[in-house]
Amino acid sequence: MCLNLFGGALHARFDALGDDRDAEAALDVLRYAVFLTSDGNIHAGGYLNNFGHALHSRFVRFGELQDIHEAISTLRRAVAISHSDPPTKAMFLSSLGLSLQSRHDVLLGVEDLNGALAAHEEALQLTPDNHPSKAARLSAFVASLHHRFNLRNDIRIIDLAIRLQQQAIDLTPPNDVSLPTRLCSLGLALFRRFDRLKEISDIDASIAVLEQAVNACLETSPEKGPTMCNLANSFFYRYRRTFNSADADAAVQIYRRAVDLIPEGHIFRAGGLMGLGNALNQRFKSSKEPADLDEAADTLRKAILLLPEKHSKKPACTTNLAIVLQSRFIRSGERHDIDKAVDLLRQAISLVPPFHPERTALLFTLGESLRLQYYNRLITEDQALEIANIFLDAAKQDTGDVRVRIKALVYCSTIVDTLFPDFPAREGLYEMFFQLLPRLVWLGAKLRRRFDELSELRSSLSMLSSAVAFAISSGNLPLAVEWFEHGRGLVYGQILALRTQLDDLRTVNLELADELQEVSAQLASLSSSSDSELSITSSAAVLSYSAHSTQERQGQVHRQLADAYYSLVQKARSIAGFEDFLRPRRFNQLQNASRASPIILLNLTSDRCDALVLTPTRLAGADIVHVPLPLMNLSVAKNMRKALVTALQEYGISARGSVRSGARQIDNMRTVLRLLWQRIVQPILSAIEGILYDVATDSLPHVTWCAMGPLAFLPFHAAGIYAPNDSYSPKVFDFVISSYTPNLTALLKTSLQKIVPIVRPRVLVISQSATPGQAPLPGAAREVAVLERHFPDPIHLSGGSATRERVLQAMDDAEWIHFACHAVQNTEEPTHSAFLLQDSKLSLLDIMSRSFTHADFAVLSACQTATGSSLLPEEAVHLAAGMLIAGYRNVVGTMWSIIDEDGPTLTESLYATLNGDSRKTAYALHSAVGTLREKVGEDAFTRWVPFIHLGG
């Protein structure tokens, strides 16, 4: 017993002070104690546990595999002889779990990880809640959960880790020496969740918790350096998200201090050096200081030398050095840098097991390096096929980051489209793209975050238009229509799916339908709820959550509901006849959107533009008409949109009010509208002239436009020749009546239902003549007067009575709604686009998160209500589209700011023509805009062009 106590004391001093001589002496003494004790001795298990623990500590310090192998075999002996004593067995199981975890960290053996989790879980089950070791065993289990998350990338695992680690912290006294380590584990879990979900609140929380952990460490504690490394890493990743240079500088400074605190030769020093190298490389991207790059390369080389050959961090460290060499090649063009980067990446990939989550990023980085070689003519065109296959391999890694997989797929597709048009799996590339897209906008994330994901990956979403162009070139027009639809309005499609009526499912499985409906309702509510401000406070150095505790619980429930929803949907699809339940619609369903009139889909790529016209299903032989548009491509469309934006800026348009006008602005607008007519509208109308004749009745034929990319922001309804001295001056409104739709799905509800006109619609009027902080709107009162003439008893909320809550409540009861107020399109946060009310804002998020039972018709006589975001052209993130999502069948919106005095003119003509029947909205608005155009003149483009109809 004396030997065991003496060895334990030496080991404790080693843990505290890090003196290598204490580690060696402790092992010698403890080994001898074990040697002298038979397994039948009452103290044998404890001696074995102490000896195994000491071997584990030396392995952590020096990385010698023999130490960890011997530790595990020793600890297994300890567990085996402790079966009759639960508290003792729990202690030995915990030690065994730690050692198995450490071996997994180096060798990545799944058996070791599973064994560690099983040991920790059993140890927890044997440990009462009031036991002094409960917190330590919770933390040990969490450490293994971290590694399982790394392997599976399953958000449920890291959510569980956060819950359990918080429990461990709650059980830890304020001055406990283990508190910094437990805080560090929580900070690391929050970081990992940020890396998975990209929620900025998680990385902010991670930094706050890790700062507490660092402050709680004693200056002499061996844990201080590694804890600072984790803090620096969180600053580093926040910089990558926000590009705040202060975070990059903080990461570099903290890493430097951390490395200085970790002894030379210690395995943890490699992690600090690796982080420092990454931070320096990232800082170079903003500083452009070559010294940062050179130091990054030297630092990473030192880290690699410290790591044993089979250490689990070796691939990541090697890859990071390759990334630095990539950056240096881009700066200097030195071939040896990019050649060395490729060699290092191939070496790193060889060290990672197949289908490990890290493999996706490694393959993608190798593809990028080879791509650099190709574009700099350092490898041949024949070798480019290898690059395409490497990117394809990265995209196929099912456990990898979906963002990286989509980027890899786009790079592969670009190479194939350019160099290998006969690539055998070309259609499969596009099918994989459409399979991955829904995973990018996972239902477990807030609506805002889903839009952010699409915005951040917008350059990769060009593959959508390439896929449609490929299907058109292959002659498969129905597939082209399906792909066009499947890539548009992804988030809106999810919202509508959560509101799907489940009557058919109820007839075969009532319980499943009810459960799915309940989960869908809860999920819809949580998806659109506003995020609380994160607030983390500290009491006696113990972490406590205030607003974040509610946000944390809400977030975890939200993600659990998303998993439950997907599981229930899969269960429904297992029922005969429901195999396609809530799957993307096929063409035979989508074509019903064009039951009454043609729908024109416009696809755009860098080298072509095509129109696909869905002819009305009520006509015999309804089909798809393909109209090539050879004079249009992505570059031309971007220039047209830029010219339009420039013209509007020159007009001085910003908010509902007045504008200035001049010859230059008029000429610029004429040019845009002429090109729109000559290159797109006129060729399409000519191609479908016979169809338009067939659908025309006692008025002009009606068409609906649905455009992709920059075309989504152009006014097709105003295209034409406006030259004053030109005898031939055709305009689109002389030939057709135009409407718009964000996608086909938005039209299906009205197309498939028989809409009975409302005899006396309940009308809600929202007016704001004097919104605080905004220009007065005297025209709003005149619009109200117009409505009161047409509807004797409208519900009218104005001024202070038009609060956000009262407006939303009133919208539940009214079929028709008319807004006469200021509105704004938020270009940075599109879901925050809003109507400006007296007390606050009625945002897009407020509207689209609701489904109004009686909704039928809406007029948004406000500015920029159908402008949309250039970052998300395929999502139509604007107030008018939000009204469609909320249930309104017909919406009148504005493409840009309008003139206050024009509101009453348009309103009078619109409602006079409607005569209470919203089915006539497109025709009524066409007439009303014509009346306004006659009043203000054709050249007053900014006054009559912005008004558009959405829906059908």
Side-chain angles (χ1 to χ4, degrees):
M1 181 176 288
C2 290
L3 286 170
N4 182 62
L5 291 173
F6 180 43
L10 288 166
H11 179 246
R13 190 165 70 179
F14 166 70
D15 278 346
L17 302 178
D19 190 323
D20 299 349
R21 294 169 297 180
D22 284 337
E24 296 299 326
L27 280 172
D28 289 341
V29 172
L30 291 169
R31 189 189 301 275
Y32 192 50
V34 168
F35 174 73
L36 293 175
T37 309
S38 67
D39 284 357
N41 188 298
I42 192 172
H43 300 298
Y47 295 172
L48 287 164
N49 183 69
N50 289 344
F51 179 45
H53 186 46
L55 285 163
H56 174 253
S57 294
R58 190 169 72 170
F59 166 74
V60 171
R61 173 71 174 82
F62 298 109
E64 289 292 336
L65 286 174
Q66 183 54 41
D67 281 341
I68 197 63
H69 294 327
E70 188 177 0
I72 289 169
S73 63
T74 300
L75 292 164
R76 280 183 170 144
R77 278 179 62 195
V79 171
I81 64 176
S82 63
H83 53 83
S84 61
D85 183 10
T88 303
K89 187 175 183 179
M91 178 174 62
F92 298 167
L93 281 164
S94 185
S95 297
L96 175 61
L98 289 170
S99 291
L100 286 165
Q101 182 58 65
S102 292
R103 189 165 71 179
H104 165 77
D105 293 350
V106 174
L107 301 180
L108 296 178
V110 176
E111 300 83 1
D112 281 341
L113 179 57
N114 291 337
L117 284 162
H120 288 313
E121 191 167 15
E122 187 178 354
L124 275 173
Q125 291 169 355
L126 294 172
T127 306
D129 287 345
N130 60 353
H131 194 280
S133 295
K134 186 74 172 185
R137 288 169 193 168
L138 281 165
S139 292
F141 185 41
V142 167
S144 292
L145 288 174
H146 278 291
H147 292 272
R148 173 155 283 183
F149 173 74
N150 288 346
L151 281 178
R152 296 190 178 179
N153 205 22
D154 186 338
I155 196 63
R156 291 172 294 187
I157 296 171
I158 210 68
D159 276 345
L160 175 61
I162 288 170
R163 290 199 302 273
L164 295 180
Q165 193 59 53
Q166 183 61 57
Q167 288 179 33
I169 291 168
D170 292 341
L171 292 170
T172 305
N175 298 319
D176 193 297
V177 293
S178 299
L179 182 61
T181 303
R182 289 167 194 169
L183 287 168
C184 184
S185 178
L186 179 59
L188 186 58
L190 289 162
F191 159 74
R192 286 193 164 125
R193 192 169 67 185
F194 163 77
D195 195 35
R196 171 69 168 74
L197 299 179
K198 299 296 186 284
E199 286 286 356
I200 195 69
S201 59
D202 279 336
I203 199 65
D204 289 343
S206 174
I207 288 171
V209 172
L210 288 167
E211 284 178 333
Q212 291 181 43
V214 169
N215 292 335
C217 284
L218 297 173
E219 283 301 319
T220 57
S221 171
E223 300 297 326
K224 184 145 191 170
T227 303
M228 290 180 70
C229 286
N230 286 325
L231 174 59
N233 196 48
S234 288
F235 273 111
F236 168 62
Y237 271 77
R238 189 168 71 178
Y239 167 73
R240 292 177 61 181
R241 179 82 167 82
T242 65
F243 300 104
N244 183 342
S245 60
D247 283 340
D249 291 337
V252 171
Q253 291 165 11
I254 296 169
Y255 269 127
R256 290 193 196 281
R257 289 172 55 205
V259 169
D260 288 342
L261 288 173
I262 302 173
E264 291 281 351
H266 197 295
I267 198 74
F268 285 173
R269 190 176 175 87
L273 290 168
M274 182 169 72
L276 176 58
N278 293 342
L280 287 164
N281 180 42
Q282 196 70 35
R283 190 171 71 174
F284 164 76
K285 294 178 181 178
S286 57
S287 72
K288 304 303 179 187
E289 286 290 338
D292 278 345
L293 267 188
D294 293 337
E295 186 184 355
D298 291 341
T299 302
L300 287 162
R301 288 191 185 99
K302 291 175 184 175
I304 290 171
L305 290 174
L306 279 174
L307 292 169
E309 195 57 39
K310 293 185 178 180
H311 197 281
S312 61
K313 286 188 177 178
K314 194 91 169 183
C317 199
T318 305
T319 300
N320 290 330
L321 176 56
I323 291 170
V324 171
L325 295 175
Q326 265 189 18
S327 300
R328 205 158 68 176
F329 169 75
I330 292 169
R331 182 184 68 83
S332 66
E334 292 290 340
R335 176 168 183 170
H336 64 83
D337 279 335
I338 196 63
D339 290 346
K340 181 62 176 176
V342 169
D343 291 342
L344 287 169
L345 288 163
R346 293 191 192 278
Q347 177 187 337
I349 289 167
S350 71
L351 296 173
V352 176
F355 304 110
H356 189 286
E358 285 184 13
R359 197 172 178 86
T360 305
L362 296 182
L363 287 164
F364 180 78
T365 308
L366 174 60
E368 283 189 309
S369 290
L370 290 167
R371 193 162 161 260
L372 281 171
Q373 285 185 326
Y374 174 74
Y375 286 124
N376 285 275
R377 300 181 180 179
L378 302 178
I379 57 176
T380 65
E381 187 173 300
D382 292 340
Q383 292 171 288
L385 185 58
E386 181 199 6
I387 307 174
N389 282 318
I390 287 170
F391 280 128
L392 181 56
D393 194 9
K396 288 180 177 178
Q397 304 292 313
D398 195 52
T399 58
D401 188 326
V402 69
R403 306 168 189 88
V404 180
R405 293 177 67 194
I406 289 174
K407 287 181 183 178
L409 205 52
V410 171
Y411 283 177
C412 175
S413 173
T414 302
I415 294 169
V416 165
D417 289 349
T418 306
L419 301 175
F420 307 104
D422 297 325
F423 191 74
R426 210 164 159 212
E427 184 171 328
L429 297 180
Y430 297 120
E431 289 173 348
M432 192 187 306
F433 174 75
F434 287 106
Q435 290 167 6
L436 289 176
L437 271 183
R439 294 177 62 174
L440 181 68
V441 287
W442 178 52
L443 275 171
K446 298 272 190 178
L447 285 174
R448 171 193 52 76
R449 182 62 212 151
R450 283 180 251 165
F451 282 125
D452 286 347
E453 290 280 16
L454 291 170
S455 175
E456 289 162 13
L457 213 64
R458 59 188 177 276
S459 61
S460 297
L461 297 181
S462 61
M463 192 169 177
L464 164 61
S465 54
S466 298
V468 176
F470 169 79
I472 292 171
S473 299
S474 303
N476 194 342
L477 299 185
L479 180 63
V481 171
E482 289 176 8
W483 282 353
F484 185 96
E485 179 69 7
H486 296 172
R488 294 182 61 82
L490 291 169
V491 178
Y492 285 158
Q494 291 175 324
I495 296 171
L496 293 174
L498 292 176
R499 298 173 185 166
T500 299
Q501 296 299 312
L502 303 175
D503 296 342
D504 291 341
L505 183 60
R506 252 187 205 92
T507 62
V508 296
N509 193 325
L510 178 61
E511 184 180 349
L512 176 61
D514 287 346
E515 188 177 359
L516 181 57
Q517 185 166 31
E518 183 180 350
V519 169
S520 297
Q522 292 181 58
L523 196 52
S525 175
L526 284 172
S527 294
S528 56
S529 60
S530 299
D531 290 330
S532 307
E533 288 297 318
L534 183 63
S535 174
I536 299 178
T537 60
S538 176
S539 174
V542 177
L543 181 70
S544 63
Y545 292 94
S546 53
H548 186 54
S549 62
T550 302
Q551 182 179 332
E552 178 65 39
R553 288 194 299 272
Q554 189 183 77
Q556 293 212 17
V557 168
H558 183 180
R559 291 185 283 277
Q560 290 162 10
L561 284 168
D563 288 332
Y565 174 83
Y566 289 125
S567 177
L568 291 169
V569 168
Q570 285 301 117
K571 190 173 180 180
R573 288 172 182 169
S574 68
I575 300 172
F578 286 82
E579 294 82 1
D580 290 331
F581 179 70
L582 292 182
R583 292 191 193 277
R585 290 180 172 88
R586 297 295 183 187
F587 174 70
N588 61 348
Q589 298 168 297
L590 293 172
Q591 69 179 149
N592 288 317
S594 62
R595 184 180 59 84
S597 60
I599 301 173
I600 301 167
L601 311 179
L602 288 163
N603 189 60
L604 186 70
T605 68
S606 59
D607 59 356
R608 64 183 291 168
C609 183
D610 299 270
L612 297 174
V613 184
L614 276 63
T615 60
T617 55
R618 64 185 175 87
L619 298 180
D623 203 353
I624 307 169
V625 177
H626 171 220
V627 185
L629 300 169
L631 298 179
M632 180 59 58
N633 58 41
L634 182 60
S635 177
V636 174
K638 284 181 176 178
N639 287 336
M640 289 173 66
R641 181 172 187 270
K642 183 178 178 181
L644 176 64
V645 170
T646 301
L648 293 175
Q649 289 171 342
E650 289 173 344
Y651 274 110
I653 288 177
S654 58
R656 178 167 169 165
S658 59
V659 299
R660 57 181 178 267
S661 182
R664 179 180 173 183
Q665 296 95 311
I666 293 172
D667 286 344
N668 286 342
M669 191 68 83
R670 282 176 181 159
T671 299
V672 172
L673 297 176
R674 174 176 55 79
L675 290 174
L676 204 54
W677 169 259
Q678 293 173 336
R679 300 193 176 198
I680 298 180
V681 176
Q682 189 276 329
I684 293 172
L685 297 186
S686 295
I688 61 170
E689 184 176 359
I691 295 167
L692 295 174
Y693 178 80
D694 290 340
V695 299
T697 52
D698 55 351
S699 63
L700 291 175
H702 174 243
V703 299
T704 301
W705 302 92
C706 184
M708 188 175 285
L711 293 178
F713 303 96
L714 298 180
F716 295 98
H717 65 286
I721 307 296
Y722 292 89
N725 300 321
D726 196 330
S727 57
Y728 177 70
S729 55
K731 285 95 174 174
V732 63
F733 51 76
D734 292 328
F735 301 97
V736 293
I737 293 167
S738 293
S739 296
Y740 294 85
T741 185
N743 53 26
L744 297 176
T745 300
L747 297 178
L748 282 173
K749 183 176 180 180
T750 52
S751 297
L752 296 176
Q753 291 181 355
K754 185 175 181 180
I755 307 301
V756 179
I758 302 166
V759 178
R760 291 190 62 189
R762 287 168 293 184
V763 180
L764 171 64
V765 183
I766 311 298
S767 69
Q768 291 288 309
S769 296
T771 307
Q774 303 294 324
L777 297 178
R782 295 199 294 274
E783 286 184 49
V784 173
V786 169
L787 282 150
E788 288 175 339
R789 284 199 301 274
H790 287 278
F791 306 100
D793 53 353
I795 305 165
H796 181 205
L797 297 177
S798 64
S801 67
T803 64
R804 174 180 171 276
E805 291 305 320
R806 290 191 67 183
V807 169
L808 287 171
Q809 186 177 4
M811 288 174 74
D812 268 327
D813 299 323
E815 288 98 2
W816 287 23
I817 185 169
H818 185 107
F819 283 93
C821 59
H822 283 288
V824 63
Q825 173 76 33
N826 190 319
T827 56
E828 296 297 321
E829 293 280 355
T831 57
H832 293 171
S833 301
F835 297 104
L836 305 184
L837 304 179
Q838 193 76 14
D839 69 327
S840 61
K841 297 177 180 179
L842 180 65
S843 73
L844 173 58
L845 194 61
D846 292 327
I847 293 167
M848 67 192 218
S849 63
R850 287 166 169 78
S851 179
F852 298 107
T853 307
H854 305 294
D856 177 54
F857 171 66
V859 175
L860 315 183
S861 183
C863 298
Q864 307 170 5
T865 55
T867 302
S869 167
S870 60
L871 302 178
L872 293 164
E874 273 42 276
E875 288 299 301
V877 194
H878 51 67
L879 292 165
M883 299 296 279
L884 291 175
I885 296 301
Y888 292 88
R889 296 184 178 92
N890 291 280
V891 180
V892 174
T894 55
M895 296 186 78
W896 54 74
S897 299
I898 60 174
I899 307 303
D900 183 54
E901 66 184 85
D902 294 338
T905 302
L906 185 110
T907 299
E908 175 62 57
S909 178
L910 176 68
Y911 284 101
T913 307
L914 278 175
N915 195 27
D917 187 353
S918 65
R919 294 175 301 176
K920 299 189 293 185
T921 301
Y923 298 89
L925 182 64
H926 182 86
S927 174
V929 170
T931 300
L932 178 61
R933 187 167 53 243
E934 289 177 7
K935 175 183 175 183
V936 301
E938 266 191 356
D939 284 348
F941 298 113
T942 56
R943 298 183 66 176
W944 63 268
V945 174
F947 296 97
I948 62 171
H949 167 242
L950 294 92

